Amino acid sequence: MEQNRKLRTIEMKRLSVEEFREAKKTPLVVVLDDVRSMYNVGSVFRTGDAFRIEALYLCGISATPPATEIHKTALGAEDSVEWQHFGSALEAVKRLKENGYVVLAVEQCEGSTKLHEFTPEQDKKYAVVLGNEVKGVHQDVIDACDGCLEIVQLGTKHSMNVSVTAGIIMYRFVFY
């Protein structure tokens, strides 16, 4: 049986921060709507770096760098991933739509599209809105979006951690 040798970091040939900034991005903006935990924000930065997203929009009470707690989970991705802060997710959604993005809330809604049934169109730019750890995406933000994506869940809980959800969503947009 062939051994699977774990690669050393130097063997992975990762991009530098400068190379990342110049590299072609996945046409996806991730919007965090009042995400309370700085550790969740940091995790979304790190996953956003992994999937080379266009930007991360931090809205409302969502924390912004520099912050030790964000850095602890982002591990420097707060320096590679472009980000902006908006007073509210509604403000960010309006700006994205003005700039030609299809904006989708990630939420359990009437008429939502199941994520496994969704295929992004290659000629479109997308943004996804992820909500607060307790209350989810605000209803006024959902109303301003072009639709909702829902991750099918099979257990007893009605939601997942926002950073886990972000990873699942980003993966779908990169590998569909």
Side-chain angles (χ1 to χ4, degrees):
M1 186 160 127
E2 188 175 313
Q3 291 287 97
N4 291 316
R5 183 183 63 83
K6 184 176 173 179
L7 294 175
R8 296 186 335 246
T9 302
I10 197 162
E11 293 176 290
M12 294 181 206
K13 298 183 170 109
R14 298 291 188 219
L15 300 176
S16 69
V17 171
E18 294 76 27
E19 291 168 329
F20 181 95
R21 289 185 181 149
E22 297 298 320
K24 183 178 181 198
K25 305 293 187 293
T26 301
L28 178 66
V29 174
V30 175
V31 179
L32 299 184
D33 181 8
D34 283 342
V35 171
R36 296 176 307 169
S37 166
M38 287 191 259
Y39 298 113
N40 281 335
V41 172
S43 291
V44 175
F45 265 110
R46 189 168 167 189
T47 306
D49 176 278
F51 292 116
R52 209 184 298 163
I53 65 168
E54 187 177 319
L56 177 59
Y57 287 3
L58 306 169
C59 303
I61 65 168
S62 301
T64 62
T68 302
E69 294 86 347
I70 291 174
H71 182 72
K72 183 173 181 157
T73 50
L75 296 178
E78 70 275 28
D79 298 325
S80 57
V81 175
E82 291 292 326
W83 64 272
Q84 291 183 51
H85 182 266
F86 290 85
S88 72
L90 187 58
E91 179 186 340
V93 167
K94 288 178 181 177
R95 173 91 50 85
L96 287 159
K97 290 181 78 167
E98 287 169 2
N99 289 312
Y101 286 80
V102 175
V103 184
L104 303 168
V106 180
E107 191 59 84
Q108 298 164 24
C109 296
E110 293 176 357
S112 63
T113 300
K114 307 305 184 223
L115 183 61
H116 64 276
E117 297 172 351
F118 174 75
T119 302
E121 296 179 42
Q122 290 191 359
D123 62 336
K124 292 189 177 178
K125 302 182 296 184
Y126 288 91
V128 291
V129 183
L130 304 172
N132 173 276
E133 293 90 341
V134 175
K135 298 181 180 180
V137 179
H138 289 93
Q139 185 64 53
D140 62 340
V141 175
I142 292 169
D143 294 342
C145 287
D146 297 302
C148 292
L149 292 175
E150 181 178 340
I151 299 171
V152 174
Q153 299 173 57
L154 305 175
T156 62
K157 299 300 173 195
H158 69 278
S159 66
M160 290 185 283
N161 177 278
V162 65
S163 67
V164 171
T165 298
I168 293 168
I169 293 292
M170 286 185 236
Y171 186 90
R172 181 66 182 178
F173 274 85
V174 174
F175 302 106
Y176 53 90

